[in-house]
Amino acid sequence: MPTKPAGTLYRGREGMWSWVGHRITGVVIFFFLLVHVLDTSLVRVSPEAYTAVIGTYKNPLMALGETGLVAAIVFHAFNGLRIIAVDFWKKGAKYQRQMLWTVLGLWVVVMVGFSIRHLSLAFGGH
Amino acid sequence: MTATIQSPRSGKIQPKYRRNGGSKGNFEMLAWLFMRLSGVVLVVLIFGHLTVNLLVGEGIHAINFGFVAGKWADPFWQFWDLAMLWLAMLHGTNGVRTIINDYAEKNATRLWLKIVLYAATTVIIVLGTLVIFTFNPCPVANGVQLPGGFCPAP
Ligand code: HEM
């Protein structure tokens, strides 16, 4: 009878999933950055062209997208600091799991704050 | 007779035991280090960017041509944005390079994906840098001031 492979310290656990999350958020942010430099470049075309393209960022649907993007950046940033701690701090590898939960906790706190502020601006007008 | 065995990672490895064949130098190690150093700086630059542009005052509603003109009138924000552009693009490009190396198995596929990646990176860094330094708050086309610009009183 084939049995499931025994778990390892890495596969299917916090270490692996944080790596998956870090990789996906990294790529998403990179592609957004390409677009974001292009839209900002419109300040060299004309004030109206820039204000028009920025206007598209101000509708409520886009605000949800922006919130998702900020969520990706904040996760990547905090988890990136965790990776750095794993690599450079003597006890980093030992506490990598606890640090991941700290990252997720901080991420929730920051994102609740950001979402309230940004979405109420976008949906409420002011 | 005693043979001296150098401790691992002391850097004093006999050339024939080096894994990188000596040709690539320390490039991969420096890239690894750069990801970490740029990461720390990017946390400050990006969180500052998001706070100033989205959280304070009227948030996203305040962003328009005048907002950008106001920021780039100050060399501090020009330098901030320049550093953020270069570090984020180089960090992101190196990250995507790693991902290409991981998943693209054919030599030709890896080569082409990297050519496209480096071309895009070059265009974006050059364009972004030019935009920051050639920004004109009072743009003029055919001798006429464009509407929405900020021009000195005549
Ligand atoms: C906010 C601050 C940031 C921090 C602290 C950070 C940190 C890191 C670290 C430590 C790595 C791992 C490198 C390695 O494994 O050798 C990494 C990978 C990566 N980062 Fe960032 N980063 C940040 C911002 C960004 C930005 C703005 C982008 C996009 C432009 C980005 C894109 C990537 C990509 C694509 C990878 C590769 C992921 C992989 O190999 O799985 N990062 N980052």
Side-chain angles (χ1 to χ4, degrees):
Chain A
M1 267 262 288
T3 49
K4 278 207 282 182
T8 67
L9 281 176
Y10 182 73
R11 187 166 53 175
R13 300 196 51 127
E14 293 87 346
M16 182 187 111
W17 290 113
S18 63
W19 169 78
V20 170
H22 200 79
R23 182 157 273 199
I24 293 174
T25 52
V27 176
V28 168
I29 302 164
F30 181 71
F31 281 106
F32 169 73
L33 179 57
L34 301 183
V35 176
H36 188 44
V37 174
L38 293 175
D39 65 56
T40 304
S41 305
L42 291 180
V43 293
R44 287 294 286 129
V45 175
S46 76
E48 285 171 330
Y50 180 73
T51 302
V53 74
I54 283 301
T56 64
Y57 281 106
K58 296 186 186 179
N59 84 52
L61 206 65
M62 286 293 277
L64 292 175
E66 289 143 28
T67 307
L69 191 70
V70 170
I73 293 173
V74 173
F75 172 80
H76 190 97
F78 288 168
N79 190 57
L81 295 176
R82 167 178 163 270
I83 296 174
I84 295 168
V86 169
D87 288 342
F88 288 104
W89 178 36
K90 228 180 9 248
K91 302 195 177 138
K94 183 173 168 200
Y95 290 114
Q96 61 88 12
R97 258 180 61 238
Q98 288 85 337
M99 286 196 290
L100 179 62
W101 289 107
T102 311
V103 162
L104 292 176
L106 287 175
W107 177 75
V108 169
V109 171
V110 170
M111 284 318 295
V112 166
F114 179 84
S115 307
I116 292 175
R117 174 79 182 136
H118 189 63
L119 294 179
S120 61
L121 279 169
F123 283 87
H126 279 278
Chain B
M1 197 187 101
T2 50
T4 314
I5 299 174
Q6 298 293 352
S7 70
R9 303 189 196 178
S10 64
K12 295 175 188 152
I13 307 159
Q14 281 196 30
K16 65 174 170 173
Y17 296 124
R18 287 213 184 110
R19 295 191 213 179
N20 59 19
S23 61
K24 276 178 113 183
N26 285 332
F27 178 77
E28 291 299 341
M29 188 273 272
L30 291 173
W32 177 91
L33 191 61
F34 172 75
M35 289 308 271
R36 280 140 186 84
L37 295 179
S38 59
V40 174
V41 181
L42 280 168
V43 173
V44 177
L45 292 176
I46 294 176
F47 280 37
H49 179 74
L50 292 173
T51 305
V52 169
N53 291 10
L54 295 181
L55 295 179
V56 300
E58 293 182 44
I60 195 170
H61 293 297
I63 302 179
N64 54 27
F65 183 82
F67 181 87
V68 179
K71 276 183 100 180
W72 286 347
D74 187 344
F76 175 84
W77 287 115
Q78 283 187 314
F79 178 75
W80 185 291
D81 287 356
L82 185 75
M84 194 164 59
L85 170 73
W86 279 72
L87 288 178
M89 280 306 296
L90 294 176
H91 177 109
T93 301
N94 188 245
V96 174
R97 178 184 71 93
T98 304
I99 297 175
I100 292 173
N101 283 338
D102 278 357
Y103 299 122
E105 291 181 7
K106 287 199 201 122
N107 285 341
T109 315
R110 270 203 311 280
L111 178 69
W112 278 108
L113 286 174
K114 284 188 208 170
I115 288 175
V116 172
L117 173 68
Y118 298 153
T121 301
T122 310
V123 169
I124 294 293
I125 290 185
V126 170
L127 176 72
T129 304
L130 285 176
V131 167
I132 293 174
F133 285 118
T134 67
F135 177 75
N136 180 0
C138 172
V140 174
N142 304 322
V144 185
Q145 293 172 359
L146 294 179
F150 290 83
C151 300

